[in-house]
Amino acid sequence: MTIPRSSSKLETKDSEEADKNSVPLILGLPDHIVELCLLRVPYPEQPLVRSVSSSWKRVITDPNFLVTKNALSLSLPYVFVSAFHKSTARIQWQALDPRSGRWFVLPPMPECPPGFVCVSLPRQGKLFVLGGVGSDTESSTQSTIMYRSSTNQWSVLSPMLTPRSCFAAGSVNGKIITVGGGGTSSTRAITAVESYDPEADTWTPVANMDTCLKRYDSAVVGNKMYVTEGWTWPVRFSPRGGVYDPDCDTWQDSSQAMKEGWTGLSVVLGDRLFVISEYGDCPLKVYDPECDTWRYVGGQKFPRGEMNKPLAVNGVDGKIYVVSFGLKVAIGKVGEAGNGDFKVEWEIVDGPEAFRDFSALNCQVLYG
């Protein structure tokens, strides 16, 4: 039987592709052995590995690579910090290996507007930069930009439905929720809320908030997102806040005790909300949802004297990472102290001398 000419070309192409894919990663070694070795390459060294050959790059950038590292407990957390450089007036991303104290710079973002908000999916190695103030300094943007640790690259995704800057955002059940913020110079604060599906790269509107908040902090605990207006000084009224339940697509007012005790930067460890307070001598505290109260965390006090504002905070796996001016990092190891209480021990990692003019804007933790 004569094979049609078009089919012959197709089979030839498939055969060439198969031959290309059949080239061993290292001559003389089975591919699965080499892949096990590549899985143990530290995240900062992966760009070098990707440059060795196209076959090595294919392995490293495959989405299943990080999945396998997580399954084998080989992926480790790295601290990603967006920082404003005073001398150049530019924003750039740096990443810290908290085990070695080594920093490395990320590629520049396609867009870098001030007033953006960041959200991460740590186990997926994905960092999202959302919105910000446009180049005209009077309007907000709708941009959605993602960094993927497996490729060490930024990509532009579907824009938000509403232009926003200086808003609140969080990851709930694998979806990203954006709340409030400012729009164009001709509009007031935004009550619209949107949900982003990273798998489908689509934004959809969800239930609006009942009120406009002026200053935001947010935290995701369990499958709910908590948003607070936060304290301002001098204190003239109690802060406002709400709770979003994505399962019911509803907003409720958060408890008065939670709002009044939320007096600083928040970080979530496990299913507990912690706050590094801007006031008092013992600033780290934790919210007890069963008793609807805040409790001070025992152990060492936060090293406020060594950490100059502005501060950026995040946490994972029982550790709190606080980044200050000069990219000095305080790492707080949080453990149980019995009777539902917690204790913390702090360690300081000094920033390099080259970072003395950097101000921390945002801190995220990704696994790589």
Side-chain angles (χ1 to χ4, degrees):
M1 182 177 64
T2 303
I3 300 176
R5 185 175 180 84
S6 60
S7 297
S8 178
K9 286 184 177 181
L10 181 60
E11 288 187 1
T12 300
K13 182 178 179 180
D14 290 344
S15 177
E16 291 175 351
E17 189 68 22
D19 291 339
K20 180 181 178 181
N21 292 335
S22 66
V23 175
L25 296 172
I26 294 181
L27 191 63
L29 283 178
D31 281 357
H32 71 276
I33 298 296
V34 181
E35 290 173 0
L36 286 174
C37 296
L38 294 178
L39 286 167
R40 286 163 172 79
V41 175
Y43 164 72
E45 312 303 333
Q46 289 181 10
L48 296 176
V49 173
R50 287 193 295 269
S51 67
V52 171
S53 67
S54 59
S55 58
W56 283 31
K57 180 179 179 180
R58 185 178 66 251
V59 172
I60 292 287
T61 58
D62 190 305
N64 291 322
F65 184 80
L66 186 55
V67 174
T68 304
K69 288 196 73 170
N70 287 331
L72 297 176
S73 300
L74 296 175
S75 60
L76 299 172
Y78 293 82
V79 182
F80 290 74
V81 180
S82 64
F84 176 77
H85 192 198
K86 183 179 178 181
S87 299
T88 63
R90 293 182 178 179
I91 298 173
Q92 68 180 54
W93 281 90
Q94 304 277 347
L96 168 69
D97 179 355
R99 290 155 295 277
S100 65
R102 292 176 54 200
W103 288 87
F104 54 100
V105 65
L106 271 63
M109 288 192 297
E111 305 171 28
C112 198
F116 61 76
V117 172
C118 300
V119 183
S120 60
L121 300 177
R123 292 290 180 179
Q124 297 181 27
K126 296 179 180 179
L127 166 66
F128 297 85
V129 178
L130 310 170
V133 179
S135 57
D136 59 5
T137 70
E138 295 183 355
S139 61
S140 298
T141 72
Q142 299 170 257
S143 62
T144 302
I145 305 171
M146 181 186 71
Y147 172 82
R148 189 192 296 268
S149 63
S150 61
T151 62
N152 191 36
Q153 292 179 344
W154 296 93
S155 56
V156 178
L157 306 177
S158 296
M160 295 184 293
L161 303 178
T162 306
R164 301 174 190 266
S165 58
C166 303
F167 54 102
S171 172
V172 188
N173 295 335
K175 303 290 180 66
I176 295 174
I177 308 297
T178 57
V179 182
T184 64
S185 58
S186 61
T187 61
R188 296 184 178 181
I190 299 169
T191 59
V193 182
E194 300 169 17
S195 174
Y196 176 72
D197 184 345
E199 297 297 325
D201 187 25
T202 56
W203 288 92
T204 55
V206 294
N208 291 353
M209 287 196 73
D210 294 331
T211 184
C212 298
L213 306 185
K214 296 182 180 179
R215 181 188 176 201
Y216 289 94
D217 191 14
S218 62
V220 175
V221 184
N223 66 336
K224 294 183 179 180
M225 181 175 176
Y226 296 80
V227 179
T228 180
E229 190 169 36
W231 286 96
T232 57
W233 188 262
V235 177
R236 296 177 180 173
F237 55 85
S238 295
R240 296 170 292 181
V243 185
Y244 176 66
D245 184 341
D247 295 332
C248 303
D249 191 24
T250 57
W251 284 91
Q252 293 182 341
D253 191 32
S254 52
S255 74
Q256 193 66 24
M258 170 178 265
K259 290 183 289 187
E260 292 183 351
W262 198 325
T263 56
L265 297 172
S266 65
V267 59
V268 177
L269 296 179
D271 60 351
R272 289 301 184 110
L273 172 64
F274 293 80
V275 163
I276 299 176
S277 180
E278 298 181 17
Y279 315 104
D281 296 329
C282 187
L284 184 63
K285 53 188 176 181
V286 60
Y287 178 68
D288 185 342
E290 295 182 1
C291 302
D292 189 25
T293 58
W294 292 86
R295 298 182 180 181
Y296 286 117
V297 175
Q300 298 177 345
K301 294 182 179 180
F302 177 71
R304 177 180 295 174
E306 300 182 58
M307 304 293 288
N308 297 323
K309 295 181 180 180
L311 302 178
V313 61
N314 211 303
V316 71
D317 290 344
K319 291 184 178 180
I320 299 174
Y321 301 92
V322 186
V323 187
S324 72
F325 186 81
L327 302 197
K328 178 179 288 189
V329 181
I331 304 175
K333 185 177 181 180
V334 179
E336 296 184 2
N339 299 322
D341 293 328
F342 294 87
K343 60 181 180 180
V344 62
E345 296 179 356
W346 292 98
E347 172 191 359
I348 297 292
V349 178
D350 288 323
E353 180 64 21
F355 292 170
R356 64 182 182 276
D357 291 333
F358 280 88
S359 295
L361 301 177
N362 193 279
C363 172
Q364 300 291 323
V365 179
L366 298 182
Y367 286 80

